[in-house]
Amino acid sequence: MDNKTDQTTLDTFAALSQATRLDAFRLLVRHEPEGLPAGEIARRLEVPNNTLSAHLSVLSRAGLVTQRRESRSVIYRANLAHMLSTVQFLVRDCCDASPEVCHPLLASLAPACCPTDEE
């Protein structure tokens, strides 16, 4: 196993293992691709600004969020590429190379928000 990948995955789950951080990440996922200003995240989660700042720092260090400055606001976005690589890491060795066993899991990961031509 790749120790760096293992540690990155552990850092990701550690960052998401706290309720406010998990809520903040899920909120940002719902607001992709625009993101949300830090103050708006704090308001929606009913968390003091300084507390949220600490939580967003943890998420940022874990690679789960990105930020950009827009005038006087800091806009946060979920790093969906990082989450995708985390999920891929988890299912890489799925079912010991038996794709028929993994199919239900992989099918459930298809984004519900993006209809296919079949629908």
Side-chain angles (χ1 to χ4, degrees), residues 88-109:
Q88 288 172 333
F89 171 80
L90 292 173
V91 298
R92 184 173 298 133
D93 301 318
C94 180
C95 308
D96 196 28
S98 300
E100 67 280 359
V101 177
C102 287
H103 182 72
L105 169 66
L106 299 176
S108 73
L109 295 175

mmCIF file of all heavy atoms in Angstrom, residues 88-109:
data_model
loop_
_atom_site.group_PDB
_atom_site.id
_atom_site.type_symbol
_atom_site.label_atom_id
_atom_site.label_comp_id
_atom_site.label_asym_id
_atom_site.label_seq_id
_atom_site.Cartn_x
_atom_site.Cartn_y
_atom_site.Cartn_z
ATOM 1 N N GLN A 88 -12.449 6.435 -4.959
ATOM 2 C CA GLN A 88 -11.731 5.502 -5.828
ATOM 3 C C GLN A 88 -10.715 4.685 -5.035
ATOM 4 O O GLN A 88 -10.562 3.485 -5.272
ATOM 5 C CB GLN A 88 -11.039 6.251 -6.966
ATOM 6 C CG GLN A 88 -12.008 6.769 -7.997
ATOM 7 C CD GLN A 88 -11.346 7.673 -9.019
ATOM 8 O OE1 GLN A 88 -10.340 8.316 -8.756
ATOM 9 N NE2 GLN A 88 -11.941 7.754 -10.200
ATOM 10 N N PHE A 89 -10.035 5.319 -4.106
ATOM 11 C CA PHE A 89 -9.083 4.606 -3.251
ATOM 12 C C PHE A 89 -9.791 3.492 -2.478
ATOM 13 O O PHE A 89 -9.291 2.375 -2.369
ATOM 14 C CB PHE A 89 -8.411 5.580 -2.279
ATOM 15 C CG PHE A 89 -7.581 4.913 -1.231
ATOM 16 C CD1 PHE A 89 -6.295 4.474 -1.508
ATOM 17 C CD2 PHE A 89 -8.083 4.725 0.054
ATOM 18 C CE1 PHE A 89 -5.521 3.859 -0.533
ATOM 19 C CE2 PHE A 89 -7.324 4.105 1.033
ATOM 20 C CZ PHE A 89 -6.039 3.670 0.737
ATOM 21 N N LEU A 90 -10.981 3.799 -1.977
ATOM 22 C CA LEU A 90 -11.713 2.825 -1.168
ATOM 23 C C LEU A 90 -12.203 1.625 -1.981
ATOM 24 O O LEU A 90 -12.262 0.513 -1.467
ATOM 25 C CB LEU A 90 -12.897 3.498 -0.477
ATOM 26 C CG LEU A 90 -12.538 4.498 0.605
ATOM 27 C CD1 LEU A 90 -13.789 5.205 1.089
ATOM 28 C CD2 LEU A 90 -11.817 3.821 1.763
ATOM 29 N N VAL A 91 -12.562 1.852 -3.232
ATOM 30 C CA VAL A 91 -13.137 0.763 -4.024
ATOM 31 C C VAL A 91 -12.157 0.165 -5.034
ATOM 32 O O VAL A 91 -12.521 -0.732 -5.791
ATOM 33 C CB VAL A 91 -14.438 1.198 -4.743
ATOM 34 C CG1 VAL A 91 -15.492 1.598 -3.736
ATOM 35 C CG2 VAL A 91 -14.182 2.280 -5.752
ATOM 36 N N ARG A 92 -10.932 0.620 -5.014
ATOM 37 C CA ARG A 92 -9.934 0.164 -5.984
ATOM 38 C C ARG A 92 -9.819 -1.358 -6.023
ATOM 39 O O ARG A 92 -9.730 -1.967 -7.075
ATOM 40 C CB ARG A 92 -8.576 0.786 -5.662
ATOM 41 C CG ARG A 92 -7.494 0.434 -6.674
ATOM 42 C CD ARG A 92 -6.214 1.191 -6.410
ATOM 43 N NE ARG A 92 -6.470 2.624 -6.540
ATOM 44 C CZ ARG A 92 -6.069 3.533 -5.659
ATOM 45 N NH1 ARG A 92 -5.394 3.190 -4.598
ATOM 46 N NH2 ARG A 92 -6.342 4.802 -5.838
ATOM 47 N N ASP A 93 -9.828 -1.990 -4.895
ATOM 48 C CA ASP A 93 -9.661 -3.444 -4.832
ATOM 49 C C ASP A 93 -10.990 -4.137 -4.552
ATOM 50 O O ASP A 93 -11.021 -5.235 -4.003
ATOM 51 C CB ASP A 93 -8.642 -3.791 -3.745
ATOM 52 C CG ASP A 93 -7.292 -3.152 -4.022
ATOM 53 O OD1 ASP A 93 -6.864 -3.172 -5.184
ATOM 54 O OD2 ASP A 93 -6.671 -2.625 -3.073
ATOM 55 N N CYS A 94 -12.054 -3.507 -4.976
ATOM 56 C CA CYS A 94 -13.401 -3.990 -4.686
ATOM 57 C C CYS A 94 -13.599 -5.438 -5.109
ATOM 58 O O CYS A 94 -13.322 -5.808 -6.252
ATOM 59 C CB CYS A 94 -14.416 -3.088 -5.378
ATOM 60 S SG CYS A 94 -16.125 -3.577 -5.108
ATOM 61 N N CYS A 95 -14.084 -6.222 -4.198
ATOM 62 C CA CYS A 95 -14.592 -7.566 -4.473
ATOM 63 C C CYS A 95 -13.569 -8.474 -5.139
ATOM 64 O O CYS A 95 -13.943 -9.380 -5.898
ATOM 65 C CB CYS A 95 -15.867 -7.481 -5.302
ATOM 66 S SG CYS A 95 -17.080 -6.386 -4.562
ATOM 67 N N ASP A 96 -12.298 -8.229 -4.931
ATOM 68 C CA ASP A 96 -11.230 -9.098 -5.438
ATOM 69 C C ASP A 96 -11.404 -9.395 -6.927
ATOM 70 O O ASP A 96 -11.432 -10.549 -7.351
ATOM 71 C CB ASP A 96 -11.168 -10.380 -4.616
ATOM 72 C CG ASP A 96 -9.858 -11.127 -4.828
ATOM 73 O OD1 ASP A 96 -8.841 -10.463 -5.139
ATOM 74 O OD2 ASP A 96 -9.867 -12.364 -4.702
ATOM 75 N N ALA A 97 -11.566 -8.337 -7.702
ATOM 76 C CA ALA A 97 -11.655 -8.433 -9.161
ATOM 77 C C ALA A 97 -12.879 -9.196 -9.645
ATOM 78 O O ALA A 97 -12.842 -9.870 -10.672
ATOM 79 C CB ALA A 97 -10.380 -9.023 -9.737
ATOM 80 N N SER A 98 -13.957 -9.124 -8.931
ATOM 81 C CA SER A 98 -15.226 -9.726 -9.361
ATOM 82 C C SER A 98 -16.204 -8.591 -9.661
ATOM 83 O O SER A 98 -16.993 -8.204 -8.801
ATOM 84 C CB SER A 98 -15.784 -10.632 -8.270
ATOM 85 O OG SER A 98 -14.884 -11.661 -7.965
ATOM 86 N N PRO A 99 -16.174 -8.043 -10.869
ATOM 87 C CA PRO A 99 -16.989 -6.869 -11.166
ATOM 88 C C PRO A 99 -18.482 -7.069 -10.946
ATOM 89 O O PRO A 99 -19.181 -6.124 -10.593
ATOM 90 C CB PRO A 99 -16.691 -6.562 -12.632
ATOM 91 C CG PRO A 99 -15.796 -7.634 -13.131
ATOM 92 C CD PRO A 99 -15.389 -8.502 -11.999
ATOM 93 N N GLU A 100 -18.975 -8.275 -11.116
ATOM 94 C CA GLU A 100 -20.409 -8.505 -10.927
ATOM 95 C C GLU A 100 -20.821 -8.277 -9.475
ATOM 96 O O GLU A 100 -21.958 -7.905 -9.193
ATOM 97 C CB GLU A 100 -20.828 -9.912 -11.396
ATOM 98 C CG GLU A 100 -20.274 -11.054 -10.571
ATOM 99 C CD GLU A 100 -18.820 -11.439 -10.882
ATOM 100 O OE1 GLU A 100 -18.194 -10.832 -11.767
ATOM 101 O OE2 GLU A 100 -18.315 -12.343 -10.213
ATOM 102 N N VAL A 101 -19.913 -8.471 -8.556
ATOM 103 C CA VAL A 101 -20.197 -8.239 -7.140
ATOM 104 C C VAL A 101 -20.174 -6.742 -6.844
ATOM 105 O O VAL A 101 -20.968 -6.240 -6.055
ATOM 106 C CB VAL A 101 -19.195 -9.000 -6.245
ATOM 107 C CG1 VAL A 101 -19.440 -8.714 -4.778
ATOM 108 C CG2 VAL A 101 -19.273 -10.501 -6.523
ATOM 109 N N CYS A 102 -19.279 -6.037 -7.496
ATOM 110 C CA CYS A 102 -19.123 -4.594 -7.252
ATOM 111 C C CYS A 102 -20.154 -3.746 -7.978
ATOM 112 O O CYS A 102 -20.359 -2.598 -7.616
ATOM 113 C CB CYS A 102 -17.746 -4.133 -7.702
ATOM 114 S SG CYS A 102 -16.445 -4.667 -6.619
ATOM 115 N N HIS A 103 -20.774 -4.277 -8.997
ATOM 116 C CA HIS A 103 -21.672 -3.464 -9.819
ATOM 117 C C HIS A 103 -22.714 -2.684 -9.006
ATOM 118 O O HIS A 103 -22.896 -1.486 -9.255
ATOM 119 C CB HIS A 103 -22.350 -4.318 -10.899
ATOM 120 C CG HIS A 103 -23.227 -3.500 -11.776
ATOM 121 N ND1 HIS A 103 -22.736 -2.606 -12.699
ATOM 122 C CD2 HIS A 103 -24.577 -3.407 -11.837
ATOM 123 C CE1 HIS A 103 -23.737 -2.003 -13.289
ATOM 124 N NE2 HIS A 103 -24.873 -2.473 -12.797
ATOM 125 N N PRO A 104 -23.417 -3.293 -8.040
ATOM 126 C CA PRO A 104 -24.406 -2.500 -7.287
ATOM 127 C C PRO A 104 -23.784 -1.305 -6.557
ATOM 128 O O PRO A 104 -24.373 -0.218 -6.523
ATOM 129 C CB PRO A 104 -24.993 -3.503 -6.291
ATOM 130 C CG PRO A 104 -24.743 -4.834 -6.910
ATOM 131 C CD PRO A 104 -23.447 -4.698 -7.666
ATOM 132 N N LEU A 105 -22.607 -1.498 -6.002
ATOM 133 C CA LEU A 105 -21.928 -0.396 -5.321
ATOM 134 C C LEU A 105 -21.581 0.700 -6.312
ATOM 135 O O LEU A 105 -21.890 1.872 -6.096
ATOM 136 C CB LEU A 105 -20.660 -0.891 -4.614
ATOM 137 C CG LEU A 105 -19.728 0.205 -4.100
ATOM 138 C CD1 LEU A 105 -20.394 0.994 -2.989
ATOM 139 C CD2 LEU A 105 -18.414 -0.376 -3.655
ATOM 140 N N LEU A 106 -20.964 0.339 -7.402
ATOM 141 C CA LEU A 106 -20.540 1.327 -8.385
ATOM 142 C C LEU A 106 -21.737 2.029 -9.022
ATOM 143 O O LEU A 106 -21.699 3.235 -9.255
ATOM 144 C CB LEU A 106 -19.657 0.674 -9.441
ATOM 145 C CG LEU A 106 -18.362 0.065 -8.888
ATOM 146 C CD1 LEU A 106 -17.604 -0.649 -9.992
ATOM 147 C CD2 LEU A 106 -17.501 1.110 -8.210
ATOM 148 N N ALA A 107 -22.806 1.298 -9.278
ATOM 149 C CA ALA A 107 -24.000 1.905 -9.851
ATOM 150 C C ALA A 107 -24.614 2.923 -8.889
ATOM 151 O O ALA A 107 -25.134 3.954 -9.310
ATOM 152 C CB ALA A 107 -25.017 0.823 -10.207
ATOM 153 N N SER A 108 -24.529 2.653 -7.598
ATOM 154 C CA SER A 108 -25.096 3.581 -6.619
ATOM 155 C C SER A 108 -24.299 4.881 -6.520
ATOM 156 O O SER A 108 -24.800 5.878 -6.012
ATOM 157 C CB SER A 108 -25.191 2.918 -5.241
ATOM 158 O OG SER A 108 -23.909 2.804 -4.663
ATOM 159 N N LEU A 109 -23.068 4.865 -7.020
ATOM 160 C CA LEU A 109 -22.245 6.067 -6.985
ATOM 161 C C LEU A 109 -22.538 7.005 -8.154
ATOM 162 O O LEU A 109 -22.074 8.136 -8.160
ATOM 163 C CB LEU A 109 -20.762 5.703 -6.985
ATOM 164 C CG LEU A 109 -20.267 4.957 -5.749
ATOM 165 C CD1 LEU A 109 -18.814 4.553 -5.921
ATOM 166 C CD2 LEU A 109 -20.456 5.791 -4.501
#
